[in-house]
Every structure is written in C-alpha cells, then in structure tokens.
Amino acid sequence: MSSIECGKHSYAGGNRLDELVALYRTVFAEPPSSQWWSKESVIAMFDRYFQTGSVLGAFSGEGLVGFAVVQPLASASIISQQTWIEPEQKWRLLDWQLLDEFGLVPDCGYLADLAVAASHRRQGIASELVRLGCQQYPDKPMLLRVSACKSDAIALYLKLGFARIPGLEQRPEYRQQDGSLKTEPKFLMLKDTTSLSGY
C-alpha cells in the first residue's frame, strides 16, 4: 500500500474528526445506498464508537482515506433489532439466545463500519483495516452486517474469510439523498478470528 498508513488513531476533535465525518457522509451517500446523514448524527454516532470500541484509520498524503470501526458485540446497534428468521418464517428481535446458536457472546468482535474513499479503492486498504480490526479480537469470532445491494463489499468479506449466516436478515430504514425513506435489506456475516495465520 506504499504511502498508505493504517492503524489506530486519536480523533479527539479538530480536523481529524471532521475528516472522519466527511468521509462517512460521502461514502454512504454513494449509490446503491444513497443514504443521507446529517453531520450532527454522524458525530453522535462516532462519539458512541469512541466510547465503546476502536476507530482505525488509513491515511495518505492528503489525509484520511479510509476507516474501520470495531467494538464488542454487546455494544452493536444490531442487537435487539427486528430480524427475519428464515427457518422460523417470522420476525423477532436479535437476542443473545439466537446469537449463542452461532457461538457469539457479548465480548465477540463486531465490525460496525468500514469505508474507503472512492479514489483509493482496490489498493488493499479495506482488507488491511479489516485485518487490523480482527486483531483487536484475536480469540473471538467477528460479526458484521452488510447491505445486500453492496456486491463489492460482500465479495471482499467473502475473500477475507467471512461467511453469511444463512436465514438471518435485518431491514433497517434510512433517509435517502432525495429525502425519502428506504428499507435496506442487510445480511449478517461471521468470521472465525481464532486462527489468523491464513488471513
């Protein structure tokens, strides 16, 4: 990755936080998600991330070009959200009883967010950020949630050893760039990080 530096950084106020917020809003505004996020809501979200997990950054000469957020699964926003359970053919809250069936406990890892600037994609930055995120939980599985429409992201996660948990889907609603609300189906994917040697 030559001039790209990845690692855990401090974002306490100032330009770094502004960069983080700007990159988040830009990446998630891209099609197919086309989400609209206010600056204030993204700042509040990252405030929670700083308190509960780790924010990893990728930097080049022009500043922040990518980030990943990892946190304990107990802090994840997906817990207690309505989840479609295909084998049961019903909706119910994602709870610890269900997660336990997949070996997931509160101190497992959760990849809460991952973003790379369009100008710096396909350089291995996302892979490196995910690798560093998994290292934060070396003896625990890592869970993530990904939009069903993001085929490139799904392909990346599969390449990195994540597998979709079959039969589970969440469908949160997001404000769009045009002001409308849209439901976005999301899959849950799981990686066993207890063996990172082949990563």
Side-chain angles (χ1 to χ4, degrees):
M1 292 186 300
S2 60
S3 64
I4 304 295
E5 172 200 349
C6 292
K8 190 172 179 180
H9 298 268
S10 172
Y11 297 91
N15 292 338
R16 284 290 183 236
L17 180 59
D18 289 342
E19 284 183 284
L20 196 59
V21 171
L23 182 57
Y24 185 96
R25 295 181 73 203
T26 298
V27 169
F28 288 91
E30 295 172 5
S33 286
S34 303
Q35 295 173 11
W36 182 86
W37 291 86
S38 70
K39 180 177 180 179
E40 295 73 22
S41 65
V42 178
I43 289 172
M45 180 172 60
F46 276 100
D47 280 344
R48 292 192 299 274
Y49 287 158
F50 297 145
Q51 293 170 24
T52 62
S54 298
V55 179
L56 308 170
F59 296 86
S60 72
E62 57 262 38
L64 182 74
V65 295
F67 68 83
V69 178
V70 291
Q71 58 185 170
L73 185 54
S75 302
S77 62
I78 64 169
I79 306 299
S80 298
Q81 284 198 17
Q82 285 289 335
T83 304
W84 175 251
I85 315 296
E86 183 66 30
E88 300 174 10
Q89 287 290 296
K90 69 177 183 181
W91 289 92
R92 71 175 166 107
L93 296 181
L94 186 64
D95 59 20
W96 293 110
Q97 179 182 353
L98 180 59
L99 289 168
D100 184 59
E101 295 176 20
F102 302 98
L104 292 164
V105 294
D107 64 346
C108 286
Y110 178 65
L111 179 62
D113 267 315
L114 176 68
V116 175
S119 58
H120 286 76
R121 290 177 191 157
R122 303 194 182 283
Q123 298 179 32
I125 296 171
S127 298
E128 179 65 6
L129 288 169
V130 173
R131 186 188 69 78
L132 291 170
C134 287
Q135 285 184 344
Q136 304 284 311
Y137 299 85
D139 300 315
K140 303 288 184 183
M142 178 71 69
L143 185 70
L144 63 81
R145 186 176 76 170
V146 60
S147 297
C149 63
K150 293 189 175 178
S151 56
D152 287 350
I154 292 170
L156 171 69
Y157 294 136
L158 290 170
K159 178 182 173 185
L160 296 178
F162 286 85
R164 183 179 171 193
I165 298 178
L168 298 184
E169 183 178 309
Q170 292 186 338
R171 298 176 192 168
E173 194 171 56
Y174 295 100
R175 179 75 59 190
Q176 301 294 286
Q177 292 291 313
D178 63 6
S180 65
L181 289 173
K182 177 185 171 186
T183 299
E184 192 163 299
K186 291 182 175 272
F187 302 144
L188 300 182
M189 299 184 76
L190 179 63
K191 176 178 174 61
D192 180 2
T193 62
T194 57
S195 173
L196 289 175
S197 58
Y199 193 85

